[in-house]
Amino acid sequence: MASPEETGGGSGSWSSNNNNIDLEEAQKIILRWDSSASEEAREKMIFDGDRHEADRYLLAVDEIQRSMSSASISATAAAAEGGNGEDSSKDQAQDKVNSAIQIAMARLEDEFRNILLSHTAPIEEDALTDNPAAAAAESSSSTSAAESSTAAAESGEEDRLSSSGGSGSQVLEETNLNLSDPIPRTGSSVSNSSGSYRSTSSIKELDLIPELAVYDLRSIAERMISAGYLRECIQVYGSVRKSAVDSSFRRLGIEKLSIGDIQRLEWDALESKIRRWIRAAKVCVRILFASEKKLCEQIFDGIETAAVDEACFVETVKGPAVQLFNFAEAVSISRRSPEKMFKILDLHDALVDLMPDIESVFDAKSADSIRVQAAEILSRLAEAARGILSEFENAVLREPSKIPVPGGTIHPLTRYVMNYISLISDYKQTLIELIMSKPSTGSRYSGDPTTPDMEFAELESKPPLALHLIWIIVILQFNLDGKSKLYKDVSLAHLFMMNNVHYIVQKVKGSTELREMIGDDYLRKLTGKFRQSATNYQRATWVGVLYCLRDEGLHVSGSFSSGVSKSALRERFKSFNGMFEEVHRTQATWLIPDTQLREELRISISEHLIPAYRSFLGRFRSHIESGRHPENYIKYSVEDLESAVLDFFEGCPVSQHSRKRSQ
């Protein structure tokens, strides 16, 4: 049997310009390629072979369609003239034409599918990158930001819980905030503080199918749609291109997860997927979906009056787009917790960045639902960020741990909160736009002992975000003040407050963004508070010790007396020795983790203690040394005291200090 290309089709069937064929020849061509009647026709595809034969087939379809149109007009005219039913032969001819067009449409549908499948290949890896140079820079920025975040979280000295009795873990177990976890590392949106978002110029359209294949697809689509086979054409196109989009999704790591699946994920797993989603969403909108839209326009734009290209595009990508945005939607409505704040802000900023592109790519009326979904997700992410900030404030205020941290060092809550608000300040540009209302604070007139007072009169010029950050510091201090009362030693309570407020001050000073929002006026207030705590510590500890070195009560009158009561003097030295030994033994185990602050407090102690002791010893040493066993009363030289002060606030027993000095 000859192949369809070789049978029939003599030159007599073509007009002189080889541009038209008659109806009879057109029917023969259609029937020769009827895959339901010929094994040969089933095995071969017209558009895979000779271009001349493909063109002849399209001309045959055109002739059949013209014949149908003419027959329709004739039938209408005959009916108007009252036809007498004598044209049964015409009816038979019309049936042949109808049959031929059905066969032709079935064949064109197969050809359409085959061309699409033949030229649908996975997009190259380098093409699935939203601006490779920017991606590399973003990766570098992410690494740098993550390192900075790590440094911020670890800045300030270790609080040495492990070397101070190990009860720090119990503190963490009792808290509502998960203080044992580091602040979530974020490396993608710190740069967003600049506030500049990319526009639709970032769209990168690819040629998904070669130009000649696009021409053939458009030629087939025109004829199928003209014959009333629009739905079939769109279905074939959509099914093939959906598979291509699904393949690209898999290469981008986008999984088919329901909203319930996403909400059941552990946070660590979800955090990783959020990072991947942000990268993938940019590629999907700016490259994948944009390129699919371009292909639809190349094939379908301008065919008939209906927006066929828009319908095909939406048919192809609506499912994948919904799948893509369902992930962000699931995150936006998931349970709120402080550690999610920064990834939610990353998602928010990524969507803000993408919205112009989403509006551009999905500008068709039939794509309204996709644009609306993206806008609603953006709104919910903004609301989630506001809600998390409010819940974080409440959690800081109510954090319930009742075990004092050993040595009066920096409380884990203080580290967590200050690292957290330092990261909040990195997202200043975004949050200034999202946080529009002042925090709900206490008032001096409220009489509520569980909430601190805060008046905004002197802070009216600050944006709401700055007021929230100041309010968080206020409630942190309020909570810390309550925790300081857990210490039985009032000196240690003051040292604890000094350490923690000093840490707050250092964190504010260490962040340009945070310091700018907090303001130097409030920073001076904080500095005054930790200095006042240092003064309170010195009074509580050293007033009693120095009281032993006073002259009052030592002098007696009488002609046979030297003017000094030796018994009173001996008691005074014994009291001093006992009190200093106790302070030395106890406060060597207390901890001031900041080296400079520790040294400053030691110097301040020495400036009060050493001159007073040197003067007292100089005035009364001879009275003790002239008696029996002076070593029982004068236990310290001035140099001994100076050395002993160096043991203070190291966080370990005196015996360990002695070993360190001897090594």
Side-chain angles (χ1 to χ4, degrees), residues 267-383:
W267 173 243
D268 287 345
L270 182 57
E271 188 177 17
S272 174
K273 290 184 186 298
I274 289 173
R275 283 194 297 269
R276 188 183 307 137
W277 185 91
I278 290 171
R279 292 191 295 268
K282 293 177 181 179
V283 174
C284 287
V285 173
R286 291 172 173 159
I287 300 175
L288 194 59
F289 294 159
S291 299
E292 288 292 341
K293 183 180 182 183
K294 177 185 177 183
L295 180 60
C296 286
E297 290 171 347
Q298 289 174 323
I299 296 172
F300 298 104
D301 187 32
I303 298 179
E304 291 200 339
T305 56
V308 179
D309 57 322
E310 295 178 358
C312 279
F313 172 63
V314 173
E315 172 75 15
T316 301
V317 304
K318 185 171 184 178
V322 169
Q323 177 189 339
L324 178 72
F325 291 124
N326 273 351
F327 178 88
E329 182 172 358
V331 175
S332 73
I333 61 177
S334 63
R335 185 181 64 84
R336 297 171 183 174
S337 56
E339 73 274 10
K340 294 181 180 179
M341 168 71 91
F342 305 106
K343 281 301 164 196
I344 282 177
L345 290 175
D346 286 344
L347 272 178
H348 176 275
D349 287 350
L351 264 182
V352 168
D353 192 17
L354 277 173
M355 281 307 293
D357 304 313
I358 293 170
E359 294 283 350
S360 175
V361 172
F362 297 100
D363 59 348
K365 178 69 175 175
S366 53
D368 279 352
S369 61
I370 297 173
R371 296 196 306 274
V372 168
Q373 183 185 18
E376 288 178 347
I377 291 169
L378 193 60
S379 177
R380 279 195 289 268
L381 287 169
E383 184 57 38

Side-chain angles (χ1 to χ4, degrees), residues 230-477:
L230 171 62
R231 184 174 60 84
E232 290 81 357
C233 188
I234 291 178
Q235 286 178 343
V236 170
Y237 181 89
S239 66
V240 175
R241 293 310 306 171
K242 274 181 189 174
S243 296
V245 173
D246 287 342
S247 175
S248 296
F249 265 37
R250 286 191 294 272
R251 299 184 76 175
L252 289 167
I254 301 173
E255 304 172 70
K256 286 189 175 180
L257 298 173
S258 68
I259 289 179
D261 292 335
I262 295 165
Q263 292 184 328
R264 283 189 290 271
L265 288 172
E266 293 294 328
W267 173 243
D268 287 345
L270 182 57
E271 188 177 17
S272 174
K273 290 184 186 298
I274 289 173
R275 283 194 297 269
R276 188 183 307 137
W277 185 91
I278 290 171
R279 292 191 295 268
K282 293 177 181 179
V283 174
C284 287
V285 173
R286 291 172 173 159
I287 300 175
L288 194 59
F289 294 159
S291 299
E292 288 292 341
K293 183 180 182 183
K294 177 185 177 183
L295 180 60
C296 286
E297 290 171 347
Q298 289 174 323
I299 296 172
F300 298 104
D301 187 32
I303 298 179
E304 291 200 339
T305 56
V308 179
D309 57 322
E310 295 178 358
C312 279
F313 172 63
V314 173
E315 172 75 15
T316 301
V317 304
K318 185 171 184 178
V322 169
Q323 177 189 339
L324 178 72
F325 291 124
N326 273 351
F327 178 88
E329 182 172 358
V331 175
S332 73
I333 61 177
S334 63
R335 185 181 64 84
R336 297 171 183 174
S337 56
E339 73 274 10
K340 294 181 180 179
M341 168 71 91
F342 305 106
K343 281 301 164 196
I344 282 177
L345 290 175
D346 286 344
L347 272 178
H348 176 275
D349 287 350
L351 264 182
V352 168
D353 192 17
L354 277 173
M355 281 307 293
D357 304 313
I358 293 170
E359 294 283 350
S360 175
V361 172
F362 297 100
D363 59 348
K365 178 69 175 175
S366 53
D368 279 352
S369 61
I370 297 173
R371 296 196 306 274
V372 168
Q373 183 185 18
E376 288 178 347
I377 291 169
L378 193 60
S379 177
R380 279 195 289 268
L381 287 169
E383 184 57 38
R386 286 188 285 265
I388 288 174
L389 183 61
S390 177
E391 291 178 17
F392 177 72
E393 291 168 353
N394 189 58
V396 172
L397 180 62
R398 309 299 176 197
E399 194 278 323
S401 59
K402 296 298 182 184
I403 300 177
V405 291
T409 188
I410 300 165
H411 198 283
L413 177 66
T414 307
R415 292 187 185 276
Y416 184 92
V417 170
M418 291 311 300
N419 289 332
Y420 195 91
I421 67 172
S422 292
L423 285 176
I424 284 178
S425 69
D426 288 335
Y427 289 81
K428 179 181 75 171
Q429 188 63 41
T430 297
L431 285 170
I432 279 179
E433 296 174 1
L434 299 185
I435 306 301
M436 304 301 293
S437 60
K438 298 176 183 178
S440 300
T441 65
S443 167
R444 69 184 65 168
Y445 307 110
S446 66
D448 182 2
T450 64
T451 305
D453 300 339
M454 181 175 173
E455 302 296 339
F456 289 121
E458 58 194 57
L459 302 170
E460 282 298 329
S461 62
K462 292 189 175 296
L465 177 62
L467 298 179
H468 278 272
L469 295 181
I470 293 173
W471 173 240
I472 290 171
I473 293 174
V474 168
I475 58 180
L476 172 61
Q477 291 180 87

Side-chain angles (χ1 to χ4, degrees), residues 124-140 197-206 252 278-288 353-354 357:
E124 296 296 329
E125 289 285 351
D126 58 349
L128 285 177
T129 304
D130 179 37
N131 190 346
E138 179 180 333
S139 174
S140 173
Y197 298 120
R198 284 181 291 178
S199 67
T200 53
S201 62
S202 55
I203 288 177
K204 178 177 135 185
E205 296 174 340
L206 305 177
L252 289 167
I278 290 171
R279 292 191 295 268
K282 293 177 181 179
V283 174
C284 287
V285 173
R286 291 172 173 159
I287 300 175
L288 194 59
D353 192 17
L354 277 173
D357 304 313

Side-chain angles (χ1 to χ4, degrees), residues 172-186:
L172 301 179
E173 289 168 5
E174 289 191 2
T175 181
N176 285 340
L177 289 170
N178 193 3
L179 307 182
S180 57
D181 287 342
I183 298 295
R185 301 293 182 242
T186 178

